[in-house]
Amino acid sequence: MIKFFRRIRQQLLSENKFSRYLLYAIGEIALVMIGILLALQVNNWNEEKKLNQVKAQLITNMKLELEIAKSDLESLITIVHAGQPEQALFFKHLNDDTSISADSLSHMLKDFLNGIPYSLQLPYYEEAKASGKLSLFKNKEVLKGYSKIINLNIGYTLHRNMSTEDYLIGSMWEVRKNAGGYDGLTDRNAILPKNIRLSDLEYKNYLRQREVYSALKNLQLINEFLLSYLRRMNEAITETLGALEKL
């Protein structure tokens, strides 16, 4: 093909047909330009196809991680919500009912002393953020959704850390220490040495002390905050899944 065009050029030059040669040269340049543009377009199509494949896989992965997080959250929310009436009942009996047994109180207390452990895991989002793949999302609703989820998790983690600090070195540590530890509060002397066990009356009176009662109420309040964050996080995940479905 190259030899064919070369022969045409040589023939036009040898016949002194400059105007025809000029037209031929322009046409040849145009053909080259068209070839380059076509090659670029094909390359762009291929690149766009690859990016669409990456985006489709990323959407699949992000939906999967959110569905797992949602399932874990809903299970935890159900468990914590089911324990709330018993927490309220604990304080009601502590305030009003002198006939309730110390064992019953300790059983109620055990549930919300265990806290609300949860760890949000978003590995695909974090990898996409680190690699710059999030730029594939022109629809910003997905990114806004993830931002909302993460901010809610920060709030949850902050309150969770407050609860842990309170339990280990704060007012709840003082409560546990003076009751003989966690077992003294929840298992009613089952494994405590006899010399530090509290009688039923001593146990109930201990729980009614101002500092102890305030510490327990504060723990209940923190648990309510934690549950609120988990519920709002679950709602944000549902919204973000909806945004991913529309992509």
Side-chain angles (χ1 to χ4, degrees):
M1 183 63 72
I2 295 175
K3 291 181 178 180
F4 173 75
F5 285 120
R6 188 182 298 162
R7 283 200 300 270
I8 293 176
R9 287 199 300 271
Q10 290 174 349
Q11 183 178 350
L12 290 173
L13 288 172
S14 64
E15 295 175 359
N16 291 322
K17 296 179 179 180
F18 182 75
S19 60
R20 289 186 178 181
Y21 174 77
L22 183 60
L23 288 173
Y24 164 80
I26 293 172
E28 187 173 342
I29 291 171
L31 285 173
V32 172
M33 292 297 294
I34 291 171
I36 291 173
L37 290 173
L38 285 173
L40 288 173
Q41 185 62 47
V42 170
N43 183 63
N44 288 338
W45 285 338
N46 289 334
E47 288 299 317
E48 186 176 356
K49 183 178 179 181
K50 291 178 182 178
L51 288 176
N52 286 336
Q53 290 173 341
V54 171
K55 181 179 177 181
Q57 186 60 55
L58 182 57
I59 290 172
T60 298
N61 291 342
M62 291 170 74
K63 285 167 63 177
L64 176 62
E65 73 179 0
L66 289 180
E67 286 166 356
I68 292 172
K70 182 174 176 62
S71 177
D72 291 343
L73 268 175
E74 289 179 345
S75 296
L76 182 57
I77 289 170
T78 299
I79 294 171
V80 176
H81 178 71
Q84 279 192 313
E86 189 154 295
Q87 292 182 28
L89 194 61
F90 168 83
F91 288 104
K92 181 180 184 301
H93 285 312
L94 192 60
N95 290 332
D96 305 329
D97 191 353
T98 57
S99 64
I100 189 169
S101 71
D103 287 340
S104 296
L105 284 174
S106 67
H107 178 76
M108 293 177 187
L109 184 58
K110 189 172 187 176
D111 286 337
F112 71 95
L113 279 180
N114 291 331
I116 306 176
Y118 178 72
S119 177
L120 178 67
Q121 302 294 326
L122 299 173
Y124 292 116
Y125 170 80
E126 295 298 340
E127 188 279 330
K129 182 180 178 181
S131 64
K133 292 178 184 176
L134 291 180
S135 61
L136 296 173
F137 293 113
K138 305 305 179 185
N139 183 340
K140 300 304 180 184
E141 292 305 311
V142 172
L143 302 184
K144 288 180 182 177
Y146 266 95
S147 178
K148 186 176 181 181
I149 293 167
I150 291 169
N151 285 335
L152 287 168
N153 185 59
I154 291 172
Y156 165 83
T157 303
L158 175 64
H159 282 82
R160 174 65 177 160
N161 290 342
M162 287 171 55
S163 175
T164 301
E165 182 177 355
D166 186 47
Y167 186 81
L168 294 177
I169 60 175
S171 59
M172 280 308 302
W173 158 240
E174 294 298 323
V175 171
R176 290 185 298 115
K177 179 179 69 174
N178 293 324
Y182 177 83
D183 295 321
L185 283 176
T186 61
D187 289 330
R188 293 299 299 117
N189 303 322
I191 60 174
L192 295 181
K194 289 183 178 181
N195 63 311
I196 64 171
R197 292 181 184 180
L198 298 176
S199 68
D200 286 1
L201 182 58
E202 288 173 333
Y203 178 75
K204 288 192 282 186
N205 287 339
Y206 177 70
L207 294 180
R208 292 188 176 104
Q209 289 181 23
R210 184 186 301 273
E211 293 80 6
V212 176
Y213 187 89
S214 297
L216 294 175
K217 287 297 289 185
N218 185 58
L219 180 61
Q220 183 192 32
L221 183 62
I222 290 175
N223 283 346
E224 288 175 357
F225 277 125
L226 292 176
L227 181 58
S228 173
Y229 275 111
L230 294 180
R231 282 174 170 158
R232 290 156 59 197
M233 203 186 310
N234 188 47
E235 291 172 2
I237 288 175
T238 300
E239 293 171 1
T240 309
L241 279 169
L244 282 169
E245 289 288 350
K246 295 177 182 178
L247 295 179

